[in-house]
Amino acid sequence: MKSKKMIVIYGVLLVVALSLMVILYTVSRKVEIVLPRDFSEIVNSGELNIVTDYNPIGYHVSGDTLAGFQHGLIKALEQDWKLKVNIFLENSLDKNLQGLKQGRYDIVARNIPVTTHLRQQFGFTESINLNKQVLVQRKPEFNDSITPIRQHLDLAKKTIHIHRDSPVILRLQNLSHEIGDTIFIIQNDIYETEQLVMMVAGGDIDFTVCDEVLARKLAKEMPEIDVDTDISFTQLESWAVRKDSPVLLDSLNAWLSRFLTPASTHSLSHRK
């Protein structure tokens, strides 16, 4: 009788132990432990993980080579720091920053509009660019002679299409409060900013918002669009690192201060 009871007890304990192992394994798969990885750890590993976005200004294919402002900076950093740089492409800023938090990337190398909210979560380099957001709409000759919007008050009750999780959303929400009326924001899960601009040009949507540098480049290729209405003030744009990588941030700032001279930045977009 006792032996049967012991067998039952052992069986129950075995089931409990196996259940705990399954639970612990499941939890370990869901929780990503980010080990500290500052400049010394990066140097010791010999590799630097950088994520950037693909667009006509920062990183793109030109003929049979890669080009763009961010591409030029990244390649120069790789050469000067004598590290192997692993470049990841991801257009979603939200996914970029999430990957940075989780330790998949060491640097988010794209033009990030620095806000107070983001500064509380990440470390940002000194300003790499000055930029602002502009409204993208059609010119009158491509829009039934409708005059383009020039005053923010005229955005009341208008619908603006934005890529999901874009930092522009916060600015539009604040602008809605400023004018005391609703600006309808549709977040698009499929198309990036460049595709949304193309949709404006083609008449599929009426409005989107784009940073001025990219907008003016696209306007040269799409004569239908008007990009002369500012949505934001001039903003600082920087690269991002984790808060627990202060030495990496200092090293980046020191390198950028030496590298970003008028002579060097002139050729960045053509650097292979």
Side-chain angles (χ1 to χ4, degrees), residues 35 66 72-73 98 102 128 152 157 168 172 178 234 238 257 272:
L35 298 177
L66 290 169
L73 273 180
Q98 189 65 28
Q102 294 171 346
I128 293 176
H152 289 167
K157 301 295 190 297
V168 173
L172 289 175
E178 291 171 16
T234 300
S238 304
S257 67
K272 299 179 181 180

Side-chain angles (χ1 to χ4, degrees), residues 36-49 80-84 106 247-248 251:
R37 181 173 160 85
D38 205 344
F39 190 65
S40 60
E41 287 79 16
I42 291 169
V43 171
N44 288 337
S45 73
E47 296 188 6
L48 180 64
N49 299 318
D80 291 351
W81 281 11
K82 304 296 189 294
L83 292 171
K84 177 187 176 184
D106 301 308
V247 181
L248 173 60
S251 301

Side-chain angles (χ1 to χ4, degrees), residues 114 119 124-131 235-239 253 256 260:
V114 182
R119 219 179 257 285
F124 287 95
T125 63
E126 297 297 327
S127 174
I128 293 176
N129 279 315
L130 292 176
N131 210 339
Q235 295 174 291
L236 301 178
E237 293 185 331
S238 304
W239 286 2
N253 279 330
L256 287 168
L260 288 180

Side-chain angles (χ1 to χ4, degrees), residues 110-229:
R110 58 186 287 173
N111 294 340
I112 306 172
V114 182
T115 64
T116 302
H117 175 69
L118 287 178
R119 219 179 257 285
Q120 292 171 351
Q121 303 177 67
F122 303 97
F124 287 95
T125 63
E126 297 297 327
S127 174
I128 293 176
N129 279 315
L130 292 176
N131 210 339
K132 58 185 174 183
Q133 302 297 324
V134 297
L135 184 69
V136 180
Q137 55 192 323
R138 285 185 299 284
K139 294 175 181 176
E141 57 268 35
F142 301 101
N143 197 28
D144 297 328
S145 300
I146 298 174
T147 302
I149 288 176
R150 294 291 179 239
Q151 302 297 324
H152 289 167
L153 288 172
D154 294 331
L155 288 171
K157 301 295 190 297
K158 295 296 189 294
T159 299
I160 301 180
H161 295 252
I162 300 295
H163 178 67
R164 181 167 295 280
D165 300 320
S166 167
V168 173
I169 294 169
L170 179 60
R171 171 56 191 153
L172 289 175
Q173 290 171 340
N174 290 336
L175 188 57
S176 180
H177 290 300
E178 291 171 16
I179 67 175
D181 211 330
T182 302
I183 298 174
F184 298 106
I185 303 169
I186 294 182
Q187 298 188 48
N188 194 298
D189 291 306
I190 300 175
Y191 299 114
E192 302 291 340
T193 300
E194 186 178 353
Q195 286 73 43
L196 291 173
V197 171
M198 293 172 66
M199 291 175 71
V200 172
D204 300 303
I205 60 176
D206 290 325
F207 304 102
T208 189
V209 175
C210 182
D211 74 74
E212 185 181 34
V213 174
L214 178 57
R216 296 209 175 277
K217 178 177 177 60
L218 294 175
K220 294 178 180 178
E221 303 169 5
M222 304 177 205
E224 300 91 347
I225 63 172
D226 177 283
V227 296
D228 290 333
T229 301

